[in-house]
mmCIF file of all heavy atoms in Angstrom:
data_model
loop_
_atom_site.group_PDB
_atom_site.id
_atom_site.type_symbol
_atom_site.label_atom_id
_atom_site.label_comp_id
_atom_site.label_asym_id
_atom_site.label_seq_id
_atom_site.Cartn_x
_atom_site.Cartn_y
_atom_site.Cartn_z
ATOM 1 N N SER A 480 3.397 8.461 45.780
ATOM 2 C CA SER A 480 1.924 8.450 45.631
ATOM 3 C C SER A 480 1.206 8.650 46.952
ATOM 4 O O SER A 480 0.092 8.150 47.154
ATOM 5 C CB SER A 480 1.463 7.140 44.973
ATOM 6 O OG SER A 480 2.072 6.960 43.722
ATOM 7 N N VAL A 481 1.829 9.370 47.878
ATOM 8 C CA VAL A 481 1.186 9.660 49.159
ATOM 9 C C VAL A 481 0.231 10.848 49.019
ATOM 10 O O VAL A 481 -0.832 10.885 49.622
ATOM 11 C CB VAL A 481 2.245 9.946 50.242
ATOM 12 C CG1 VAL A 481 1.580 10.262 51.575
ATOM 13 C CG2 VAL A 481 3.180 8.747 50.383
ATOM 14 N N LEU A 482 0.621 11.822 48.218
ATOM 15 C CA LEU A 482 -0.225 12.983 47.981
ATOM 16 C C LEU A 482 0.004 13.475 46.557
ATOM 17 O O LEU A 482 0.916 13.032 45.867
ATOM 18 C CB LEU A 482 0.053 14.100 49.007
ATOM 19 C CG LEU A 482 1.506 14.527 49.255
ATOM 20 C CD1 LEU A 482 1.981 15.504 48.198
ATOM 21 C CD2 LEU A 482 1.641 15.156 50.638
ATOM 22 N N THR A 483 -0.873 14.360 46.120
ATOM 23 C CA THR A 483 -0.735 14.963 44.788
ATOM 24 C C THR A 483 -0.725 16.473 44.936
ATOM 25 O O THR A 483 -1.351 17.030 45.840
ATOM 26 C CB THR A 483 -1.886 14.545 43.863
ATOM 27 O OG1 THR A 483 -3.139 14.893 44.477
ATOM 28 C CG2 THR A 483 -1.856 13.059 43.590
ATOM 29 N N ARG A 484 0.010 17.115 44.033
ATOM 30 C CA ARG A 484 0.055 18.572 44.042
ATOM 31 C C ARG A 484 -1.168 19.135 43.345
ATOM 32 O O ARG A 484 -1.678 18.565 42.389
ATOM 33 C CB ARG A 484 1.314 19.069 43.341
ATOM 34 C CG ARG A 484 2.563 19.068 44.208
ATOM 35 C CD ARG A 484 3.674 19.837 43.501
ATOM 36 N NE ARG A 484 4.827 20.029 44.363
ATOM 37 C CZ ARG A 484 5.884 19.235 44.363
ATOM 38 N NH1 ARG A 484 5.921 18.204 43.554
ATOM 39 N NH2 ARG A 484 6.900 19.481 45.163
ATOM 40 N N GLU A 485 -1.606 20.303 43.830
ATOM 41 C CA GLU A 485 -2.694 21.032 43.191
ATOM 42 C C GLU A 485 -2.225 22.446 42.903
ATOM 43 O O GLU A 485 -1.170 22.873 43.354
ATOM 44 C CB GLU A 485 -3.923 21.089 44.103
ATOM 45 C CG GLU A 485 -4.601 19.751 44.293
ATOM 46 C CD GLU A 485 -5.871 19.887 45.107
ATOM 47 O OE1 GLU A 485 -6.021 20.895 45.806
ATOM 48 O OE2 GLU A 485 -6.709 18.976 45.033
ATOM 49 N N ALA A 486 -3.089 23.183 42.165
ATOM 50 C CA ALA A 486 -2.818 24.613 41.980
ATOM 51 C C ALA A 486 -3.068 25.327 43.292
ATOM 52 O O ALA A 486 -3.555 24.751 44.257
ATOM 53 C CB ALA A 486 -3.698 25.187 40.877
ATOM 54 N N GLY A 487 -2.779 26.610 43.306
ATOM 55 C CA GLY A 487 -2.771 27.370 44.550
ATOM 56 C C GLY A 487 -4.115 27.836 45.021
ATOM 57 O O GLY A 487 -4.337 29.018 45.249
ATOM 58 N N GLY A 488 -5.061 26.919 45.176
ATOM 59 C CA GLY A 488 -6.342 27.265 45.773
ATOM 60 C C GLY A 488 -7.068 28.359 45.039
ATOM 61 O O GLY A 488 -7.286 28.294 43.837
ATOM 62 N N PRO A 489 -7.440 29.425 45.721
ATOM 63 C CA PRO A 489 -8.255 30.456 45.105
ATOM 64 C C PRO A 489 -7.539 31.289 44.061
ATOM 65 O O PRO A 489 -8.143 32.078 43.370
ATOM 66 C CB PRO A 489 -8.667 31.325 46.309
ATOM 67 C CG PRO A 489 -7.573 31.138 47.309
ATOM 68 C CD PRO A 489 -7.144 29.705 47.140
ATOM 69 N N ARG A 490 -6.224 31.096 43.935
ATOM 70 C CA ARG A 490 -5.481 31.939 42.988
ATOM 71 C C ARG A 490 -5.495 31.365 41.575
ATOM 72 O O ARG A 490 -5.148 32.047 40.630
ATOM 73 C CB ARG A 490 -4.043 32.112 43.473
ATOM 74 C CG ARG A 490 -3.991 32.821 44.807
ATOM 75 C CD ARG A 490 -2.606 32.719 45.426
ATOM 76 N NE ARG A 490 -2.563 33.385 46.698
ATOM 77 C CZ ARG A 490 -2.967 32.854 47.825
ATOM 78 N NH1 ARG A 490 -3.471 31.643 47.833
ATOM 79 N NH2 ARG A 490 -2.902 33.533 48.957
ATOM 80 N N SER A 491 -5.899 30.101 41.445
ATOM 81 C CA SER A 491 -6.095 29.476 40.138
ATOM 82 C C SER A 491 -4.888 29.611 39.225
ATOM 83 O O SER A 491 -4.987 29.968 38.065
ATOM 84 C CB SER A 491 -7.334 30.046 39.444
ATOM 85 O OG SER A 491 -8.465 29.784 40.199
ATOM 86 N N THR A 492 -3.687 29.356 39.737
ATOM 87 C CA THR A 492 -2.494 29.411 38.902
ATOM 88 C C THR A 492 -2.105 28.006 38.488
ATOM 89 O O THR A 492 -2.356 27.044 39.203
ATOM 90 C CB THR A 492 -1.328 30.047 39.680
ATOM 91 O OG1 THR A 492 -1.136 29.329 40.904
ATOM 92 C CG2 THR A 492 -1.593 31.501 39.973
ATOM 93 N N ASP A 493 -1.481 27.893 37.312
ATOM 94 C CA ASP A 493 -1.074 26.584 36.841
ATOM 95 C C ASP A 493 0.095 26.053 37.667
ATOM 96 O O ASP A 493 0.142 24.898 38.051
ATOM 97 C CB ASP A 493 -0.696 26.658 35.359
ATOM 98 C CG ASP A 493 -1.909 26.916 34.484
ATOM 99 O OD1 ASP A 493 -3.014 26.538 34.890
ATOM 100 O OD2 ASP A 493 -1.721 27.507 33.408
ATOM 101 N N GLU A 494 1.073 26.892 37.917
ATOM 102 C CA GLU A 494 2.228 26.502 38.726
ATOM 103 C C GLU A 494 2.273 27.419 39.943
ATOM 104 O O GLU A 494 2.632 28.579 39.847
ATOM 105 C CB GLU A 494 3.524 26.611 37.914
ATOM 106 C CG GLU A 494 3.588 25.629 36.741
ATOM 107 C CD GLU A 494 3.616 24.174 37.191
ATOM 108 O OE1 GLU A 494 4.089 23.912 38.316
ATOM 109 O OE2 GLU A 494 3.166 23.315 36.419
ATOM 110 N N ALA A 495 1.874 26.879 41.079
ATOM 111 C CA ALA A 495 1.772 27.714 42.271
ATOM 112 C C ALA A 495 3.147 27.988 42.853
ATOM 113 O O ALA A 495 4.029 27.130 42.864
ATOM 114 C CB ALA A 495 0.903 27.022 43.318
ATOM 115 N N ALA A 496 3.336 29.205 43.345
ATOM 116 C CA ALA A 496 4.539 29.521 44.103
ATOM 117 C C ALA A 496 4.495 28.749 45.417
ATOM 118 O O ALA A 496 3.433 28.300 45.851
ATOM 119 C CB ALA A 496 4.599 31.029 44.356
ATOM 120 N N PRO A 497 5.640 28.585 46.091
ATOM 121 C CA PRO A 497 5.639 27.785 47.325
ATOM 122 C C PRO A 497 4.629 28.258 48.357
ATOM 123 O O PRO A 497 4.013 27.442 49.046
ATOM 124 C CB PRO A 497 7.090 27.935 47.826
ATOM 125 C CG PRO A 497 7.884 28.183 46.584
ATOM 126 C CD PRO A 497 6.998 28.999 45.697
ATOM 127 N N HIS A 498 4.420 29.573 48.472
ATOM 128 C CA HIS A 498 3.485 30.056 49.483
ATOM 129 C C HIS A 498 2.039 29.889 49.040
ATOM 130 O O HIS A 498 1.130 30.102 49.835
ATOM 131 C CB HIS A 498 3.769 31.526 49.812
ATOM 132 C CG HIS A 498 3.468 32.471 48.688
ATOM 133 N ND1 HIS A 498 4.330 32.637 47.630
ATOM 134 C CD2 HIS A 498 2.402 33.275 48.459
ATOM 135 C CE1 HIS A 498 3.806 33.520 46.779
ATOM 136 N NE2 HIS A 498 2.653 33.926 47.262
ATOM 137 N N GLN A 499 1.821 29.513 47.780
ATOM 138 C CA GLN A 499 0.467 29.282 47.292
ATOM 139 C C GLN A 499 0.156 27.799 47.156
ATOM 140 O O GLN A 499 -0.968 27.434 46.846
ATOM 141 C CB GLN A 499 0.295 29.931 45.913
ATOM 142 C CG GLN A 499 0.465 31.444 45.903
ATOM 143 C CD GLN A 499 0.440 31.997 44.501
ATOM 144 O OE1 GLN A 499 0.811 31.322 43.547
ATOM 145 N NE2 GLN A 499 -0.016 33.229 44.359
ATOM 146 N N GLU A 500 1.142 26.961 47.397
ATOM 147 C CA GLU A 500 1.020 25.558 47.045
ATOM 148 C C GLU A 500 -0.059 24.855 47.862
ATOM 149 O O GLU A 500 -0.193 25.049 49.068
ATOM 150 C CB GLU A 500 2.368 24.855 47.259
ATOM 151 C CG GLU A 500 2.428 23.500 46.626
ATOM 152 C CD GLU A 500 3.844 23.122 46.252
ATOM 153 O OE1 GLU A 500 4.787 23.696 46.843
ATOM 154 O OE2 GLU A 500 4.011 22.272 45.384
ATOM 155 N N SER A 501 -0.835 24.039 47.170
ATOM 156 C CA SER A 501 -1.853 23.215 47.810
ATOM 157 C C SER A 501 -1.632 21.776 47.389
ATOM 158 O O SER A 501 -1.133 21.500 46.290
ATOM 159 C CB SER A 501 -3.257 23.668 47.411
ATOM 160 O OG SER A 501 -3.511 24.982 47.843
ATOM 161 N N ILE A 502 -2.015 20.873 48.251
ATOM 162 C CA ILE A 502 -1.898 19.452 47.924
ATOM 163 C C ILE A 502 -3.247 18.792 48.182
ATOM 164 O O ILE A 502 -4.142 19.369 48.817
ATOM 165 C CB ILE A 502 -0.780 18.768 48.744
ATOM 166 C CG1 ILE A 502 -1.034 18.885 50.263
ATOM 167 C CG2 ILE A 502 0.570 19.369 48.400
ATOM 168 C CD1 ILE A 502 -1.662 17.689 50.884
ATOM 169 N N HIS A 503 -3.379 17.585 47.667
ATOM 170 C CA HIS A 503 -4.589 16.803 47.915
ATOM 171 C C HIS A 503 -4.173 15.477 48.514
ATOM 172 O O HIS A 503 -3.303 14.781 47.983
ATOM 173 C CB HIS A 503 -5.363 16.571 46.617
ATOM 174 C CG HIS A 503 -6.720 15.953 46.838
ATOM 175 N ND1 HIS A 503 -6.905 14.595 46.956
ATOM 176 C CD2 HIS A 503 -7.947 16.521 46.979
ATOM 177 C CE1 HIS A 503 -8.188 14.353 47.163
ATOM 178 N NE2 HIS A 503 -8.842 15.494 47.173
ATOM 179 N N MET A 504 -4.781 15.147 49.646
ATOM 180 C CA MET A 504 -4.501 13.876 50.314
ATOM 181 C C MET A 504 -5.803 13.083 50.412
ATOM 182 O O MET A 504 -6.789 13.560 50.982
ATOM 183 C CB MET A 504 -3.903 14.106 51.707
ATOM 184 C CG MET A 504 -3.603 12.809 52.451
ATOM 185 S SD MET A 504 -2.863 13.085 54.092
ATOM 186 C CE MET A 504 -1.152 13.320 53.625
ATOM 187 N N HIS A 505 -5.793 11.907 49.837
ATOM 188 C CA HIS A 505 -6.963 11.027 49.869
ATOM 189 C C HIS A 505 -7.362 10.770 51.321
ATOM 190 O O HIS A 505 -6.502 10.628 52.198
ATOM 191 C CB HIS A 505 -6.618 9.713 49.157
ATOM 192 C CG HIS A 505 -7.806 8.845 48.869
ATOM 193 N ND1 HIS A 505 -8.443 8.114 49.837
ATOM 194 C CD2 HIS A 505 -8.469 8.598 47.706
ATOM 195 C CE1 HIS A 505 -9.448 7.434 49.294
ATOM 196 N NE2 HIS A 505 -9.478 7.717 47.994
ATOM 197 N N ARG A 506 -8.658 10.691 51.548
ATOM 198 C CA ARG A 506 -9.129 10.519 52.936
ATOM 199 C C ARG A 506 -8.616 9.231 53.559
ATOM 200 O O ARG A 506 -8.340 9.175 54.768
ATOM 201 C CB ARG A 506 -10.655 10.561 52.988
ATOM 202 C CG ARG A 506 -11.354 9.491 52.194
ATOM 203 C CD ARG A 506 -12.854 9.458 52.499
ATOM 204 N NE ARG A 506 -13.486 10.692 52.118
ATOM 205 C CZ ARG A 506 -13.947 10.962 50.882
ATOM 206 N NH1 ARG A 506 -13.778 10.070 49.916
ATOM 207 N NH2 ARG A 506 -14.550 12.087 50.603
ATOM 208 N N LEU A 507 -8.472 8.175 52.766
ATOM 209 C CA LEU A 507 -7.963 6.921 53.298
ATOM 210 C C LEU A 507 -6.481 7.043 53.648
ATOM 211 O O LEU A 507 -6.031 6.575 54.698
ATOM 212 C CB LEU A 507 -8.179 5.800 52.278
ATOM 213 C CG LEU A 507 -7.817 4.391 52.747
ATOM 214 C CD1 LEU A 507 -8.626 4.004 53.972
ATOM 215 C CD2 LEU A 507 -8.052 3.396 51.627
ATOM 216 N N VAL A 508 -5.720 7.708 52.780
ATOM 217 C CA VAL A 508 -4.309 7.953 53.069
ATOM 218 C C VAL A 508 -4.181 8.810 54.328
ATOM 219 O O VAL A 508 -3.333 8.557 55.190
ATOM 220 C CB VAL A 508 -3.625 8.635 51.879
ATOM 221 C CG1 VAL A 508 -2.186 8.987 52.217
ATOM 222 C CG2 VAL A 508 -3.669 7.733 50.647
ATOM 223 N N HIS A 509 -5.044 9.807 54.436
ATOM 224 C CA HIS A 509 -5.025 10.677 55.614
ATOM 225 C C HIS A 509 -5.256 9.864 56.884
ATOM 226 O O HIS A 509 -4.589 10.060 57.910
ATOM 227 C CB HIS A 509 -6.098 11.756 55.456
ATOM 228 C CG HIS A 509 -6.115 12.781 56.545
ATOM 229 N ND1 HIS A 509 -6.774 12.585 57.749
ATOM 230 C CD2 HIS A 509 -5.565 14.023 56.637
ATOM 231 C CE1 HIS A 509 -6.632 13.653 58.505
ATOM 232 N NE2 HIS A 509 -5.904 14.538 57.866
ATOM 233 N N ASP A 510 -6.193 8.931 56.827
ATOM 234 C CA ASP A 510 -6.503 8.116 57.993
ATOM 235 C C ASP A 510 -5.314 7.248 58.382
ATOM 236 O O ASP A 510 -4.934 7.155 59.556
ATOM 237 C CB ASP A 510 -7.728 7.240 57.702
ATOM 238 C CG ASP A 510 -8.112 6.379 58.890
ATOM 239 O OD1 ASP A 510 -8.300 6.942 59.980
ATOM 240 O OD2 ASP A 510 -8.199 5.152 58.729
ATOM 241 N N ILE A 511 -4.686 6.634 57.367
ATOM 242 C CA ILE A 511 -3.548 5.764 57.650
ATOM 243 C C ILE A 511 -2.365 6.570 58.178
ATOM 244 O O ILE A 511 -1.722 6.202 59.165
ATOM 245 C CB ILE A 511 -3.155 4.986 56.376
ATOM 246 C CG1 ILE A 511 -4.271 4.010 55.994
ATOM 247 C CG2 ILE A 511 -1.846 4.249 56.574
ATOM 248 C CD1 ILE A 511 -4.061 3.323 54.665
ATOM 249 N N VAL A 512 -2.084 7.690 57.525
ATOM 250 C CA VAL A 512 -0.960 8.532 57.956
ATOM 251 C C VAL A 512 -1.188 9.041 59.376
ATOM 252 O O VAL A 512 -0.252 9.104 60.194
ATOM 253 C CB VAL A 512 -0.763 9.698 56.973
ATOM 254 C CG1 VAL A 512 0.156 10.755 57.546
ATOM 255 C CG2 VAL A 512 -0.211 9.179 55.650
ATOM 256 N N SER A 513 -2.424 9.400 59.704
ATOM 257 C CA SER A 513 -2.727 9.884 61.050
ATOM 258 C C SER A 513 -2.410 8.830 62.098
ATOM 259 O O SER A 513 -1.992 9.150 63.214
ATOM 260 C CB SER A 513 -4.205 10.290 61.146
ATOM 261 O OG SER A 513 -4.490 11.350 60.277
ATOM 262 N N ARG A 514 -2.591 7.564 61.732
ATOM 263 C CA ARG A 514 -2.341 6.482 62.676
ATOM 264 C C ARG A 514 -0.857 6.143 62.791
ATOM 265 O O ARG A 514 -0.400 5.703 63.839
ATOM 266 C CB ARG A 514 -3.113 5.227 62.258
ATOM 267 C CG ARG A 514 -4.616 5.383 62.340
ATOM 268 C CD ARG A 514 -5.333 4.237 61.629
ATOM 269 N NE ARG A 514 -6.768 4.439 61.641
ATOM 270 C CZ ARG A 514 -7.591 3.970 62.578
ATOM 271 N NH1 ARG A 514 -7.083 3.270 63.574
ATOM 272 N NH2 ARG A 514 -8.880 4.197 62.531
ATOM 273 N N LEU A 515 -0.123 6.345 61.695
ATOM 274 C CA LEU A 515 1.239 5.828 61.652
ATOM 275 C C LEU A 515 2.320 6.868 61.875
ATOM 276 O O LEU A 515 3.462 6.506 62.147
ATOM 277 C CB LEU A 515 1.481 5.130 60.305
ATOM 278 C CG LEU A 515 0.621 3.880 60.047
ATOM 279 C CD1 LEU A 515 0.955 3.279 58.696
ATOM 280 C CD2 LEU A 515 0.827 2.847 61.151
#
Side-chain angles (χ1 to χ4, degrees):
S480 302
V481 179
L482 50 82
T483 56
R484 278 191 172 96
E485 291 185 341
R490 298 167 180 82
S491 298
T492 55
D493 291 333
E494 295 295 333
H498 68 281
Q499 298 174 331
E500 194 152 22
S501 297
I502 59 98
H503 189 275
M504 180 179 278
H505 192 285
R506 61 170 63 86
L507 186 59
V508 176
H509 185 276
D510 181 54
I511 293 173
V512 167
S513 297
R514 294 167 184 268
L515 296 180

